[in-house]
Amino acid sequence: QVQLVESGGGLVQAGGSLRLSCVASGRTFSSYTMGWFRQAPGKEREFVAGISWSVSYTYYTDSVKGRFTISRDNAKNTVYLQMNSLKPEDTAVYYCALTRMHGSRWESDFGSWGQGTQVTVSS
């Protein structure tokens, strides 16, 4: 069982940047597609970005394209989410999770959810 721990959240002004990290325990991290999701107050959790195990394929929800970048370092068992040009609507708890379903955006395909890290963007 892989366990995930997110970090890097915080309070930032609109237009600012943050980099989230998600560290995984377990030897099979490199075989999974990794994803970032977020949940804003009063809303359902939504897909943000995903990256294949080979790092060759990344995909994003439309609202973050051009602003967020997902990456991973399999040697460090870590996946990152670089968030630039942050907007107040990016305020949410951000979670990482994993799946064996290549290219999936569906929450139900993902497992081993971390505890989340809060991102707050002030206007």
Side-chain angles (χ1 to χ4, degrees):
Q1 181 77 7
V2 178
Q3 293 184 324
L4 304 174
V5 178
E6 303 95 337
S7 63
L11 174 63
V12 64
Q13 288 187 334
S17 298
L18 284 174
R19 188 176 82 154
L20 306 183
S21 299
C22 172
V23 179
S25 63
R27 295 177 294 175
T28 59
F29 169 80
S30 62
S31 65
Y32 292 98
T33 287
M34 299 299 298
W36 284 97
F37 289 74
R38 65 187 179 186
Q39 187 168 20
K43 295 187 177 181
E44 294 186 350
R45 189 153 55 185
E46 64 172 353
F47 170 82
V48 176
I51 186 167
S52 66
W53 69 270
S54 66
V55 193
S56 62
Y57 179 61
T58 59
Y59 51 110
Y60 302 88
T61 192
D62 286 346
S63 63
V64 308
K65 284 180 180 177
R67 300 189 298 122
F68 291 10
T69 302
I70 188 171
S71 61
R72 68 191 293 169
D73 184 338
N74 288 336
K76 295 183 178 179
N77 278 9
T78 303
V79 61
Y80 305 97
L81 186 67
Q82 177 67 44
M83 305 185 296
N84 298 329
S85 302
L86 282 161
K87 304 175 180 180
E89 51 264 43
D90 295 318
T91 295
V93 178
Y94 283 71
Y95 301 88
C96 66
L98 52 80
T99 181
R100 293 196 182 277
M101 303 292 289
H102 178 73
S104 175
R105 300 168 180 256
W106 302 106
E107 182 180 351
S108 58
D109 286 338
F110 285 79
S112 297
W113 295 88
Q115 83 290 348
T117 186
Q118 176 71 47
V119 171
T120 303
V121 184
S122 63
S123 57

